[in-house]
Amino acid sequence: MGDYFPKDYKIFVRYEEVLRCQNITSLNNQGITVEELRYLWGIINEEILIKIKKVLPDRHPSMGYIMELQKIFKELLRDDIEIQTEIIQDIMERLSRADDIGPWKSVRPKALLDNCYRVLHALYEEECNLCKPRSEAEDDTLCPPETTPPITNSSSHDQR
């Protein structure tokens, strides 16, 4: 059992690193494009994986999964996008600060990974046809319809 986290183990993350479906819907309603939301989701979760890996015991059953996710995020974030909106620029600036000024939040690693998956599902489901057919009840528990942003193919941003 030494290779597992204690039952209520939590790690400290910045407030902005807890990205949920409700957050992306709110940002989308403020004019943030899905392209920018996907980039923000990738940056945040790449950092979350690094934090989880630092505290994860080497022989933890999830270590291979975390390392595979890190490879996927590295590939996803290979191309930078030009951030056009001030809201996302502010979030990115707060995330890149090296200081230890909060606000900080203690969160279970599993909850962070669950958020990562739920937001992935909300941002990419329609475009990538991500999931097998499920019942409507299962879809609603994953990400309630009112919390997912509409997917629009707005490619008004230039890629760097």
Side-chain angles (χ1 to χ4, degrees), residues 15 18-34 36-37 40 85 87-88 91 94 119 122-123 143-150:
Y15 179 78
V18 181
L19 187 63
R20 297 184 177 111
C21 291
Q22 295 86 349
N23 303 111
I24 61 170
T25 300
S26 173
L27 289 168
N28 188 255
N29 290 340
Q30 295 176 50
I32 309 302
T33 66
V34 172
E36 286 179 308
L37 289 171
L40 179 66
T85 54
I87 296 168
I88 298 294
I91 292 170
R94 287 193 303 268
V119 173
L123 291 175
C143 242
E146 66 275 3
T147 67
T148 57

Side-chain angles (χ1 to χ4, degrees), residues 9-14 18 104-109 112:
Y9 187 83
K10 295 180 180 183
I11 60 175
F12 285 96
V13 296
R14 293 176 192 255
V18 181
W104 292 89
K105 200 171 181 171
S106 67
V107 184
R108 288 186 181 93
L112 293 167

Side-chain angles (χ1 to χ4, degrees), residues 99-157:
D99 58 22
D100 286 337
I101 297 173
W104 292 89
K105 200 171 181 171
S106 67
V107 184
R108 288 186 181 93
K110 183 186 181 314
L112 293 167
L113 292 174
D114 288 346
N115 288 339
C116 174
Y117 173 74
R118 287 181 182 116
V119 173
L120 162 84
H121 189 272
L123 291 175
Y124 288 93
E125 177 187 22
E126 288 180 24
E127 184 177 315
C128 300
N129 196 16
L130 282 180
C131 56
K132 302 173 194 162
R134 293 191 308 243
S135 73
E136 195 170 309
E138 287 175 312
D139 280 339
D140 287 348
T141 58
L142 180 63
C143 242
E146 66 275 3
T147 67
T148 57
I151 303 297
T152 57
N153 287 336
S154 147
S155 54
S156 61
H157 302 296

Side-chain angles (χ1 to χ4, degrees), residues 5-15 17-18 44-45 47-57 66 103-113:
F5 285 120
K7 187 175 183 178
D8 291 325
Y9 187 83
K10 295 180 180 183
I11 60 175
F12 285 96
V13 296
R14 293 176 192 255
Y15 179 78
E17 292 175 308
V18 181
I44 287 174
N45 284 289
E47 289 300 314
I48 289 296
L49 291 172
I50 291 168
K51 289 181 180 189
I52 291 173
K53 190 176 175 187
K54 281 182 183 177
V55 298
L56 200 64
I66 298 295
W104 292 89
K105 200 171 181 171
S106 67
V107 184
R108 288 186 181 93
K110 183 186 181 314
L112 293 167
L113 292 174

